Amino acid sequence: QVQLVESGGGLVQPGGSLRLSCAASGSIFSINDMGWYRQAPGKERELVEVITRGGSTNYADSVKGRFTISRDNAKNTVYLQMNSLKPEDTAAYYCNVPRVVTSRGLYDLWGQGTQVTVSS
């Protein structure tokens, strides 16, 4: 079974930092793009940041200069380092791998979500 497992969310004060991790496991042949999305209560899910296998990134303007995405291709893992957190960053954060090549075919995978709450 191919799946994404997230970790690293929690409660942090404004200005603080958190690091999210997302590991893909299973019989995986290859992964291209990996990304993070978030969804706040009453709002639509939105892109936070994505990274290609080669390391190119694309991010939302709201996180520019504060969040950094990275990946370890050998571990099929993507990270999101979040600094200078603001209350408006509060949301459930979801890892996404839109194209996973496995022994059983292609999959668009989503993680289970991890809650990030920024509050004093």
Side-chain angles (χ1 to χ4, degrees):
Q1 181 180 0
V2 182
Q3 62 179 350
L4 300 178
V5 178
E6 302 175 19
S7 61
L11 173 64
V12 64
Q13 292 186 345
S17 299
L18 283 174
R19 188 190 194 211
L20 307 183
S21 299
C22 173
S25 63
S27 182
I28 297 171
F29 291 160
S30 68
I31 291 176
N32 294 319
D33 296 354
M34 305 181 82
W36 290 94
Y37 290 74
R38 67 185 181 186
Q39 187 168 19
K43 295 187 176 181
E44 294 186 354
R45 190 171 296 188
E46 63 175 1
L47 170 71
V48 177
E49 198 160 3
V50 295
I51 184 169
T52 68
R53 185 172 183 84
S56 298
T57 62
N58 186 30
Y59 50 84
D61 287 342
S62 59
V63 305
K64 182 180 180 180
R66 300 188 299 121
F67 291 12
T68 303
I69 194 170
S70 61
R71 63 189 286 171
D72 184 332
N73 291 331
K75 296 181 179 180
N76 290 328
T77 300
V78 62
Y79 306 95
L80 185 67
Q81 178 66 44
M82 304 184 293
N83 298 328
S84 301
L85 282 160
K86 304 176 181 179
E88 51 263 44
D89 295 317
T90 296
Y93 283 69
Y94 297 90
C95 173
N96 172 240
V97 180
R99 189 175 184 273
V100 181
V101 181
T102 76
S103 59
R104 295 190 175 187
L106 302 177
Y107 292 89
D108 177 3
L109 296 180
W110 288 88
Q112 79 278 13
T114 185
Q115 179 67 34
V116 172
T117 302
V118 184
S119 175
S120 55

